[in-house]
Amino acid sequence: MSAYLLRRILQIAPTLVLITLLVFGLLQVTGGDPIAIMLGPSATNELIEQVRHELELDQPAYVRYPRWLWRVMHGDLGKSIRTRRPVAHMILARVQTTVTLAVSATLFSVLVGVTTGVYAAARRGAPASYAVGVAAIVGASVPNYFLALVLMVILGVQLRLVPIAAFSIDVLREPQALVNLIMPTIALGAGYTALLSRITRASVLEVLGQDYVRSARAKGLAELVVIGRHVLRNALLPVVTQVAINAVYLLGGSVLIETIFALSGIGSLLVESIIARDLPIVQGITLVVGLLFILANLLTDLLYSLLDPRIRYA
Amino acid sequence: MRSAAASGAASIAAVAPRLGGSPAWRRIGRRPPVVAGAAILALLLLAAALAPLIAPHDPIEQSLGPGLTPPGRAFVLGLDSLGRDVASRIVYGSRISLLVGSIAVSIALTGGLLLGVLSGFYRGLADTLLMRVTDAVFSFPPVLLAMALMAALGANIRNVMIALGIVYTPRYIRLVRVGVLAASEQEYVAAARAAGAGDGRLLLRHVLPNILGPVVVQTSFSFGEAIIAEAALSFLGIGTQPPTPSWGLILSDAREYLAQAAWYPATVGGVLFLVVLAINLVGDGLRDALDPRSA
Amino acid sequence: MAGGDTEGAGSDRPTRFTRRRLLSRAARLGASAAVLASAGDRLGLPDLIPQADAAAATPKRGGTLRFGLPNEPLTLSGTMTGGDQGLGIVMSSIYDTLCVTDYTTNSPKPGLAVSWTRKDPTTWIVKMRQGVQFHKNYGEVTAEDAVFTINTTIEKKHTGVFAWQSVKGAEVMDRHTFAIHLTRAYQPLPLTALGSVGGNVISKKAFEEMGREKFERNPVGAGPFEFKEWKEGSEIVLTRFEKYWQKGLPYLDRIDFKIVKDHFVRQNLLKTRGLDVIFTLQYKDVEEMRQTPGIAVHSVPGQTFDFIAFNPKDPIVGNRLVRRAVATAINRNAIVSDVYYGQAVPTNIPTPKGFVGYTSKVWYPYGGDVARARQLLKEAGYPNGVSFPIIVSDKLQLRRELEIISGQLARAGIKVEIQGLDLGTFNARFFGPDVTKKNFRAALRDIAIVSPDPDSTVYWFHHKGTTGWVGFESAQIDGLLDDARAEPSSQKRDQLYKQLFDVIIPEATYIYTAHANYISASRSNVRNWVQLPTSIARYTGVWLDR
């Protein structure tokens, strides 16, 4: 196992380097000058050049990139061009919001998606099962930003059931902030919930058709017991194993959701930084997202080996 | 099966497409939701093709009447804030969406086929390198990557298509590569090769038919995703530029009037939703038919 | 509703500004008699204690004001600008400035400085108020702190502050007196520099103790509120400064600046009582907000302008007649009514009403003249029309303005391709790698005027060598700008700027379209909230009626 882990970690490094290289290259092509953007219209050329020199931006990219990489290897993500604050601080201040949102949306999706999926499979043919199917395909087809707006207008402005802007979703420190999470969670999680529901349904149906399930039924076991004991464990394998990776993918959707619900997470920070060409932040976030993804991947593999006795890593 | 979108990639394992044999098509035809989806898509295609004929007004002509005139007899879907006919804008917008969807997917498909075949057939350093790049791209949420690309390329509709094309390419690379690898291991391929069949012939006769199913399924989902992504980018102001009547732009304008004229965002959002729904329905149908082992 | 409504808040409440107007008129008389302003006591500071609610009951102490900001400040250091709106509106509660701008007369009033004298064209002597305390027991505000603030501001490393560009340095004379040395005569110094960033006196001791980086996040000033907490990305908390030099002020215990970037959310938070005051409102929503019970909208003509800039080296728009055709074809009244919903003033010049140099002269009719524009185009050698791209940032109302302009120009045979860019790309192309390498043919953008002096509206656009300059070379323009800047007499300056407009407006290298209003909205229990024509705010007089 540990040898496998080590191998995986060794594989991670080049991928991460490649990610940052891609982003670095990308932002070179943009041509946007972060300093001119930061200093605004009244800056003199002299001043712009001076700041550029200070921030080492007058060096060519092939000099700056290795330098940056070297510092990162020593734990220094550099400083933001715009705020001149350490990138690590800026990301740390916001990562909790984004992770909370992603975790919450994932929990919601798993809970709702798996339940409805199992239900739809167990009651195959019933009207309720059909409704779940419809809801699932509808959920998968609504753009999340549109859903967010609809939710906000109906739940927040018209009915005033939930606050329309979250500000804080630090539910660990302020349990009452939980209510703030409702709308962003639904908006972000809807698509994934739908997907999970459909995967679960299909997966359960497939397992239900297997011989051992038929024999369990033949033994006269109650349907619930059959599903609980024999079906779920096997059917949910593909579901469970994808959870961590999908949580990371939710970061993408969270860009729009964070903006709409006035949440300050790394998604909105990234958008701002792309617009301001604040390269150190963009790279820092890329690195963090990349790392999260790779960790999620690793976690998935481990989960898989735990849940599926057929797979063992040497 | 990394996300809803990339899910097609997981279906690579399915090796038995029955495209030629036609039971696939018959199975699709028997499912009403799929038929409904196909009907909506057909309608969309028709609208796009005949836009100048069926649109009641010029989509960018302003001040046809007072801003935000609700739907009524004169203007079926009302007027937007600048007094432009919403119905005409949506009809013309269908052209943009279809264009973006098809070009983006074509770019991804072409790139994916070329690179995937290169990678799968010839292996070696190129393969390793390519797979690393593919991994790198995969480990970044597609929307964010598209945004970064848009920042690099500059915001206009052509670049939206290029950016989305690039973002979707790795999916096809993987799909094709695995298909090629799987086929190469088949005995009959080895036999064919031994019999002196060239690479091109192998590709056409043995590899492509095997991966056609998953590729078709992936294409349908990527197409829907591209339409949503174009709308999202335009919604953020870094996609298609006004006054082009892109659905994303219309929606982002409509959003401003949620309080004053809820019918406006509801109409545009509804159309966008309906089309994506239709694509997903058809995609599901295709997957069930061509790729029965994946959900 | 276009014309009349632009009087906005003023005409809504005819009685409210009366006392303030009287005070400021008196002040204006004093100010014009001598450059040296008289020592101000509390009553002589109309803008430090806004009197918008003169009829209201006695102010109540206490309470927390929840203020919705559209942007997060990049820094609160008081010595650097980031161009963000959130900046001024937060900083003005933490720092008091040397001079305080009276926006009814657009003239400087005593703040932490009690008097300022121009000793010779390049030397000014400033005398400071005594006994003013810094926050957090950092001691008395002295000339040393003011000099330190100024010298830190002009240190090239971290400022792009335009107003300070003619300042060479400051020097302490005694505990409460200092001198400012200029590189060349710069008459608007008290108004533009002493009243804005750099005029915010920061505590030298605190700055040196903490270092710049820490200070930017833990500011120490002498304003009515002291800094408490900055939750990155979400809020900035300030509390009442008990030792504020104006006894009894401020009324509020605390201000929470909440960062809510999305205007839709911001406006709805105000409606659902999640916020008490929001700054910037979408123009289209002003009317709806006015109708909402429990909400007051404050809309005042802004010190800002929208304009189209042309690249004079371009083969098509480099042609003066083409530019004039564009300027003539634009219907500014339609922009005011359709983009700003009446919350703006149409204009031909960058300088708003009430500024020195303002003229109501009309070069291009506000309603547009399509026939004349076609004629100009024909004279330019394009009888069949022209076509060129215009770039614009992603600012909502500018996009809308450009859409409307493109419709107007199309009628005159000018086909415009709209190129919407994100702000980063836009600025990069607009400013270019340096002032001689702009990468655009035409651009629509807006500019907030830092301080109410004509110099801030024209100098850096028209003077060769500044970043805003698009490359239209003219010794005559540069000469007029330099002369107007140095001229001590307001009357002569007024004439110089009018002469300048007679040169630059017909050239149409920049086409000015409108001055947009600054708008805020408040819950009705918020008293004495005054929207200034700029993006700063004053909180000393604000109180909550609970």
Side-chain angles (χ1 to χ4, degrees), chain C residues 78 119 163 261 286 344 398 417 423 457:
Chain C
K119 196 174 144 208
K261 290 180 181 128
V286 167
L398 289 181
E417 184 206 330
L423 192 62
T457 67

Side-chain angles (χ1 to χ4, degrees), chain C residues 102-335:
Chain C
D102 176 352
Y103 285 100
T104 54
T105 57
N106 291 327
S107 59
K109 291 283 165 307
L112 292 181
V114 289
S115 72
W116 45 91
T117 331
R118 172 168 145 166
K119 196 174 144 208
D120 59 62
T122 57
T123 315
W124 289 68
I125 306 291
V126 181
K127 276 203 160 56
M128 294 179 66
R129 191 178 299 278
Q130 302 191 6
V132 177
Q133 294 295 314
F134 275 122
H135 303 155
K136 297 171 183 170
N137 294 322
Y138 273 99
E140 198 196 351
V141 180
T142 64
E144 205 181 329
D145 297 297
V147 164
F148 177 76
T149 308
I150 291 171
N151 288 341
T152 311
T153 301
I154 59 174
E155 211 182 294
K156 275 205 178 121
K157 275 181 214 156
H158 47 94
T159 178
V161 188
F162 160 75
W164 290 95
Q165 278 169 9
S166 341
V167 176
K168 195 159 55 181
E171 170 193 19
V172 177
M173 297 178 71
D174 63 43
R175 187 166 165 85
H176 295 105
T177 314
F178 64 94
I180 299 176
H181 303 288
L182 308 179
T183 48
R184 55 184 166 181
Y186 181 60
Q187 192 55 28
L189 183 81
L191 188 64
T192 61
L194 303 185
S196 76
V197 179
N200 296 313
V201 181
I202 67 174
S203 161
K204 181 186 179 199
K205 192 176 159 213
F207 191 94
E208 284 177 343
E209 250 175 49
M210 294 186 222
R212 173 173 304 134
E213 259 169 49
K214 196 167 171 220
F215 187 86
E216 285 181 352
R217 298 251 138 190
N218 299 277
V220 176
F225 292 90
E226 57 181 15
F227 174 81
K228 179 151 181 274
E229 195 190 1
W230 186 340
K231 282 185 204 148
E232 205 166 309
S234 57
E235 76 178 329
I236 294 171
V237 178
L238 307 179
T239 52
R240 182 176 197 272
F241 178 38
E242 298 299 334
K243 293 184 198 157
Y244 187 51
W245 64 273
Q246 297 191 71
K247 297 284 173 270
L249 293 174
Y251 299 117
L252 297 167
D253 280 343
R254 182 174 145 150
I255 306 177
D256 290 357
F257 287 101
K258 307 255 190 190
I259 295 135
V260 187
K261 290 180 181 128
D262 194 282
H263 58 84
F264 181 75
V265 177
R266 211 161 52 237
Q267 287 165 202
N268 279 306
L269 274 171
L270 186 74
K271 284 188 193 165
T272 53
R273 297 172 201 275
L275 289 171
D276 302 309
V277 178
I278 58 171
F279 177 61
T280 77
L281 211 62
Q282 288 301 301
Y283 295 96
K284 66 182 172 54
D285 298 322
V286 167
E287 213 37 57
E288 190 224 333
M289 284 300 241
R290 278 204 175 129
Q291 309 292 328
T292 312
I295 288 176
V297 175
H298 315 268
S299 176
V300 296
Q303 297 186 347
T304 168
F305 56 88
D306 296 357
F307 65 100
I308 297 174
F310 292 106
N311 190 334
K313 296 186 176 74
D314 184 82
I316 292 175
V317 298
N319 184 328
R320 177 172 179 267
L321 289 167
V322 172
R323 297 196 300 263
R324 284 178 58 79
V326 174
T328 309
I330 291 175
N331 180 343
R332 292 167 176 77
N333 289 334
I335 291 172

Side-chain angles (χ1 to χ4, degrees), chain B residues 104-171:
Chain B
V105 170
S106 307
I107 292 174
L109 192 59
T110 315
L113 267 176
L114 286 176
L115 294 172
V117 165
L118 182 87
S119 191
F121 246 123
Y122 305 104
R123 313 300 306 268
L125 185 68
D127 179 42
T128 315
L129 217 76
L130 204 63
M131 286 330 284
R132 282 278 156 268
V133 175
T134 309
D135 282 347
V137 173
F138 258 122
S139 56
F140 213 58
V143 184
L144 295 191
L145 191 61
M147 286 179 59
L149 279 168
M150 286 310 292
L153 298 169
N156 63 45
I157 185 165
R158 190 196 65 203
N159 292 344
V160 172
M161 298 187 271
I162 296 175
L164 293 178
I166 295 175
V167 172
Y168 299 152
T169 301
R171 298 173 184 175

Side-chain angles (χ1 to χ4, degrees), chain C residues 482-532:
Chain C
D482 287 337
D483 288 352
R485 203 173 225 208
E487 176 57 52
S489 147
S490 285
Q491 262 177 338
K492 282 188 190 153
R493 288 188 81 206
D494 193 66
Q495 288 311 310
L496 283 169
Y497 284 111
K498 284 177 174 145
Q499 274 180 41
L500 177 75
F501 291 141
D502 275 323
V503 179
I504 62 175
I505 304 301
E507 277 303 328
T509 35
Y510 298 88
I511 295 174
Y512 304 97
T513 59
H515 303 290
N517 280 18
Y518 272 101
I519 311 179
S520 56
S522 59
R523 303 274 339 160
S524 49
N525 65 326
V526 177
R527 297 305 181 89
N528 241 345
W529 168 256
V530 178
Q531 176 61 51
L532 297 173

Side-chain angles (χ1 to χ4, degrees), chain A residues 30-33 36-52 54 79 82-86 89-91 93-94 149 152-153 156-157 160 163-165 167 174 259-264 268 272 274-277, chain C residues 72 74 80-84 156-162 165 212-213 216-217 232-234 258-262 264-265 268-269 271-275 394 422-425 427-428 431-436 445 447 460 465-468:
Chain A
T30 59
D33 182 345
I37 294 165
M38 173 185 70
L39 293 176
S42 55
T44 56
N45 282 338
E46 247 178 315
L47 174 64
I48 290 177
E49 280 320 309
Q50 192 175 346
V51 178
R52 200 190 308 283
E54 255 173 65
K79 278 184 186 174
R82 222 158 47 106
T83 66
R84 304 199 188 179
R85 301 231 309 128
H89 285 206
M90 295 186 65
I91 294 178
R94 289 169 174 85
L149 290 170
M152 187 184 277
V153 169
V157 181
R160 301 213 177 167
I164 57 164
F167 291 130
E174 309 166 54
T259 312
I260 291 174
F261 291 103
L263 286 167
S264 136
S268 47
E272 273 166 46
I274 286 177
I275 288 173
R277 305 288 184 274
Chain C
E72 183 171 21
L74 297 178
M80 172 179 159
T81 57
D84 270 27
K156 275 205 178 121
K157 275 181 214 156
H158 47 94
T159 178
V161 188
F162 160 75
Q165 278 169 9
R212 173 173 304 134
E213 259 169 49
E216 285 181 352
R217 298 251 138 190
E232 205 166 309
S234 57
K258 307 255 190 190
I259 295 135
V260 187
K261 290 180 181 128
D262 194 282
F264 181 75
V265 177
N268 279 306
L269 274 171
K271 284 188 193 165
T272 53
R273 297 172 201 275
L275 289 171
D394 45 15
D422 67 78
L423 192 62
T425 314
N427 279 351
F431 296 118
D434 69 71
V435 294
T436 55
R445 64 167 294 159
I447 285 289
W460 46 286
T466 41
T467 7

